């Protein structure tokens, strides 16, 4: 698991948060686009869909990161992969903080839905049941990028919020709500049990209705929770239960991000300009003072007096 998650590369770094993307993401995106172009003759619809998935996940994770910073937990990395994202956030000082951070992802996602709805309205796109219904098959997708983002946001965030199991937000929220009642260790164990029951139930009903997405998702949830439960019983924290023990990052030298490098360069240029300006003014002042020594204050031209004033202002403004 650890090494698998390492297969990622950096996209950019902004506000001290590095955004990485898993190699599987472009691979699956390419396959998806290919499939759309083969089956529907619409490669662009497939591209819309993958871009929507990317943006929806990113918005969701930024929600977690912002909340983590608000409660003082810190956040420094987002990893995006086809099944969702992971925000690397620290521990909140309080249990309430943990619940807030877990909730913030879905809440931000739903806010993004509202924004998309507004943008869609402004663009004059028809808003129908299809706008919100992600289960309308291929018919439902591709006609509007904004509405695709809206639909994917609805799915990503509803699934995250409503699945009471690790490693999804619902599981973290449930744990947080149980901690005051059961204590930390038993709250974690209870969540894994709820997750196993939920996953098996989902798998069963998915098979009954011959719906393969919920079936596979149910299996994945149940298996994740069984593994988490075994880890807990063995005295270890599940990797993703709470963020602290979850650190998949390989040791690599830290390189500042694109914007940080740009700011550093700009600052260096500013300093070089200042140093040059300072040298120029000092030289000028020296010459004028020489003249004062030789010929007295009265000999200074108005221009030289102005230069002295300007110099003293410069040194006052840029003291130290
Ligand atoms: Zn989340």
């Amino acid at each position: 698991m650890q090494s698998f998650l390492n297969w990622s590369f950096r996209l950019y770094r902004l506000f001290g948060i590095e955004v990485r993307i898993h190699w599987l993401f472009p691979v699956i995106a390419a396959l998806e686009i290919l499939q759309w172009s083969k089956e529907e003759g619409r490669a662009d619809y497939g591209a819309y869909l993958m871009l929507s998935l990317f943006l929806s996940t990113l918005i969701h994770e930024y929600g977690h990161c912002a909340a983590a910073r608000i409660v003082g937990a810190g956040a420094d990395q987002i990893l995006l992969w086809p099944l969702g994202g992971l925000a690397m956030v620290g521990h909140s000082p309080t249990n309430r903080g943990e619940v807030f951070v877990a909730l913030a992802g879905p809440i931000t996602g739903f806010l993004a839905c509202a924004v998309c709805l507004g943008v869609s309205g402004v663009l004059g796109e028809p808003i129908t049941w299809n706008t919100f219904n992600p289960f309308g098959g291929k018919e439902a997708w591709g006609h509007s990028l904004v509405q695709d983002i809206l639909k994917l946001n609805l799915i990503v965030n509803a699934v995250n919020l409503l699945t009471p199991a690790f490693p999804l937000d619902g599981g973290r929220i449930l744990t947080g709500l149980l901690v005051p009642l059961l204590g930390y260790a038993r709250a974690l164990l209870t969540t894994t049990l709820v997750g196993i029951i939920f996953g098996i139930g989902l798998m069963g009903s998915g098979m009954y209705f011959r719906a393969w997405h919920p079936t596979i998702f149910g299996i994945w949830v149940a298996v994740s929770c069984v593994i988490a439960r075994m880890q807990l019983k063995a005295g270890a924290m599940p990797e993703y239960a709470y963020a602290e023990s979850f650190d998949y990052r390989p040791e690599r030298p830290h390189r500042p991000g694109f914007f940080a490098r740009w700011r550093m360069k700009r600052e260096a240029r500013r300093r070089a300009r200042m140093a040059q300006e300072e040298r120029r003014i000092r030289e000028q002042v020296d010459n004028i003072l020489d003249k004062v020594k030789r010929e007295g204050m009265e000999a200074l031209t108005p221009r030289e007096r102005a230069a002295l004033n300007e110099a003293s202002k410069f040194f006052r403004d840029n003291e130290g």
Side-chain angles (χ1 to χ4, degrees):
M1 187 73 177
Q2 298 274 351
S3 59
F4 174 70
L5 283 168
N6 280 342
W7 296 351
S8 63
F9 59 92
R10 192 171 85 165
L11 277 187
Y12 64 92
R13 185 184 173 88
L14 193 59
F15 306 128
I17 296 171
E18 181 178 81
V19 174
R20 303 186 69 83
I21 190 161
H22 198 275
W23 281 108
L24 267 181
F25 201 110
V27 170
I28 288 187
L31 290 176
E32 183 78 17
I33 292 168
L34 209 69
Q35 202 195 356
W36 272 84
S37 94
K38 245 171 64 185
E39 289 178 10
E40 314 283 319
R42 296 305 307 238
D44 52 339
Y45 283 16
Y48 274 18
L49 191 61
M50 294 319 289
L51 183 62
S52 306
L53 178 63
F54 173 82
L55 289 175
S56 304
T57 315
L58 194 59
I59 292 166
H60 175 101
E61 300 306 333
Y62 268 124
H64 285 311
C65 290
R69 291 216 167 149
I70 289 171
V71 301
D76 62 359
Q77 196 176 66
I78 291 173
L79 172 70
L80 300 173
W81 58 314
L83 284 178
L86 289 165
M88 299 299 114
V89 297
H91 261 293
S92 307
T94 63
N95 185 55
R96 271 186 183 192
E98 293 283 353
V99 176
F100 174 65
V101 173
L103 270 171
I107 289 173
T108 312
F110 290 131
L111 285 176
C113 287
V115 171
C116 286
L117 197 60
V119 172
S120 205
V122 168
L123 292 178
E125 294 173 346
I127 291 167
T128 61
W129 168 235
N130 232 359
T131 305
F132 305 96
N133 177 21
F135 303 110
K138 294 213 153 161
E139 279 300 289
W141 297 94
H143 304 286
S144 148
L145 179 60
V146 187
Q147 294 194 0
D148 279 4
I149 298 174
L150 186 140
K151 275 191 272 264
L152 256 171
N153 258 303
L154 281 176
I155 304 182
V156 165
N157 292 290
V159 167
N160 253 297
L161 185 64
L162 299 177
T163 306
F166 295 129
L168 297 164
D169 296 329
R172 294 180 61 168
I173 295 166
L174 178 64
T175 306
L177 296 178
L178 290 174
V179 165
L181 305 172
L182 303 175
Y184 188 56
R186 278 182 59 207
L188 280 171
L189 271 176
T190 308
T191 304
T192 59
L193 190 60
V194 172
I196 293 169
I197 295 167
F198 179 89
I200 292 174
L202 197 62
M203 181 185 77
S205 37
M207 279 161 67
Y208 182 80
F209 291 108
R210 292 175 185 272
W212 297 113
H213 285 114
T215 307
I216 293 166
F217 181 64
I219 294 171
W220 178 69
V221 166
V223 169
S224 301
C225 288
V226 167
I227 293 172
R229 197 172 171 79
M230 277 161 37
Q231 285 174 327
L232 279 170
K233 290 210 162 163
M237 285 284 285
E239 280 174 336
Y240 33 67
Y242 275 54
E244 191 173 50
S245 56
F246 186 23
D247 185 4
Y248 64 85
R249 280 163 290 175
E251 292 304 322
R252 53 164 77 85
H254 176 82
R255 184 164 175 264
F258 175 78
F259 289 103
R261 288 203 305 277
W262 178 72
R263 275 196 301 272
M264 273 153 58
K265 267 189 212 152
R266 196 182 52 177
E267 177 63 17
R269 275 200 302 271
R270 195 184 68 84
R271 274 183 204 193
R273 260 201 320 273
M274 286 280 287
Q276 202 183 7
E277 176 76 354
E278 191 178 327
R279 265 198 309 278
R280 187 185 68 78
I281 292 177
R282 274 189 198 284
E283 230 165 77
Q284 206 177 23
V285 169
D286 281 348
N287 289 339
I288 297 173
L289 290 182
D290 274 351
K291 184 173 174 187
V292 169
K293 238 186 275 168
R294 282 194 319 267
E295 307 172 25
M297 265 313 252
E298 297 72 38
L300 291 186
T301 63
R303 215 180 153 159
E304 285 164 338
R305 285 173 199 271
L308 271 186
N309 275 333
E310 196 200 323
S312 81
K313 185 173 178 315
F314 178 87
F315 289 113
R316 259 202 323 275
D317 288 351
N318 300 295
E319 249 172 317

